[in-house]
Amino acid sequence: MEFWQNLANAPWYPFVKDFQTAIAATLGFVGVWITMSANIVLQRCSEKRNRRHVADVARSKFYSELSLMRGALQNNVDSITKSPPAPGENLLVPVLQFRTLFESSSGDIGFLSITEAQRILYSYANVEMYFDSLNIIGSGLDRSGKFYLVEGQHHTTLRGMTKNLVDDIDRTLASLSSSAGGSLQKFPSIQELFYENGTSGKDSEGS
């Protein structure tokens, strides 16, 4: 009882009593403002998480496809280096069909950094130019349509072209891996899978 009497005698009590409606409305407005602000912050955080997720998925897709492409191209370089064609012999260069993920996920490139986007587009453009060049130095596709026919005399040119493309893709893979914190690793080529550290299959059997 004494507490309420002291409360009623407080100097600010008449003010609160006279403006209690306005005070309640102000407190209600502040509460709504805080709730809306918190929701906006949470929504922005959610959008950032979604953007990061889309970017991570897109980065993994492009990395995987380019890594497969790089492995196949490196296998061509290794094959030409280890077994140069005999005079008059044609080289068979497989037609690579590794653009499925790029075509289906090209719209997600915008979620990546400018550097990543530039590297990806540049590498895929170089792949297109590479196969266009095969039509210039070669004689088209074989009957199966799965291989480019390149005369053996052009094997040095072909090896250099392929090695340059592999180096370019490696730079793109390094950029994507760096953005992913180094968690991405490129797939090895066929030669790297079966001939580790430069050891041939025969050497392995004899050891």
Side-chain angles (χ1 to χ4, degrees):
M1 190 67 178
E2 181 179 358
F3 169 78
W4 295 110
Q5 290 178 349
N6 293 334
L7 182 63
N9 294 328
W12 45 265
Y13 180 77
F15 174 83
V16 172
K17 182 178 180 181
D18 294 338
F19 296 97
Q20 57 182 327
T21 302
I23 293 173
T26 301
L27 292 176
F29 173 79
V30 171
V32 172
W33 179 82
I34 292 175
T35 301
M36 292 180 63
S37 298
N39 287 336
I40 291 174
V41 171
L42 292 175
Q43 183 177 359
R44 288 179 178 175
C45 291
S46 178
E47 290 175 354
K48 287 182 179 179
R49 285 195 300 270
N50 289 336
R51 288 181 64 87
R52 284 197 298 269
H53 175 70
V54 173
D56 289 342
V57 172
R59 187 178 294 113
S60 297
K61 287 181 179 180
F62 296 132
Y63 190 96
S64 298
E65 189 163 74
L66 286 171
S67 185
L68 286 172
M69 211 181 306
R70 184 262 181 204
L73 291 167
Q74 183 61 49
N75 183 59
N76 292 344
V77 174
D78 295 339
S79 297
I80 297 172
T81 302
K82 293 184 177 182
S83 302
E89 182 181 1
N90 284 331
L91 290 168
L92 296 178
V93 182
V95 177
L96 300 182
Q97 301 291 345
F98 293 136
R99 288 181 57 89
T100 304
L101 294 179
F102 175 77
E103 293 174 355
S104 64
S105 305
S106 58
D108 295 335
I109 291 180
F111 290 93
L112 303 177
S113 67
I114 295 177
T115 300
E116 289 176 296
Q118 289 175 337
R119 286 297 329 163
I120 290 171
L121 294 174
Y122 188 71
S123 287
Y124 276 100
N126 281 340
V127 171
E128 290 291 330
M129 289 189 290
Y130 172 80
F131 286 106
D132 288 341
S133 298
L134 290 182
N135 287 320
I136 297 176
I137 67 173
S139 53
L141 298 174
D142 69 345
R143 292 182 179 180
S144 69
K146 297 180 180 180
F147 296 91
Y148 288 92
L149 295 174
V150 180
E151 294 182 8
Q153 62 182 347
H154 299 305
H155 78 277
T156 302
T157 301
L158 175 60
R159 182 176 58 190
M161 288 169 45
T162 310
K163 183 64 170 63
N164 289 337
L165 182 56
V166 169
D167 291 342
D168 173 74
I169 293 177
D170 278 340
R171 287 189 288 270
T172 301
L173 294 178
S175 175
L176 295 174
S177 180
S178 176
S179 298
S183 60
L184 301 175
Q185 295 182 354
K186 64 175 179 285
F187 300 123
S189 67
I190 295 176
Q191 296 289 341
E192 290 169 334
L193 281 172
F194 292 97
Y195 302 101
E196 296 180 357
N197 300 322
T199 303
S200 67
K202 293 182 179 179
D203 291 338
S204 296
E205 293 174 359
S207 59

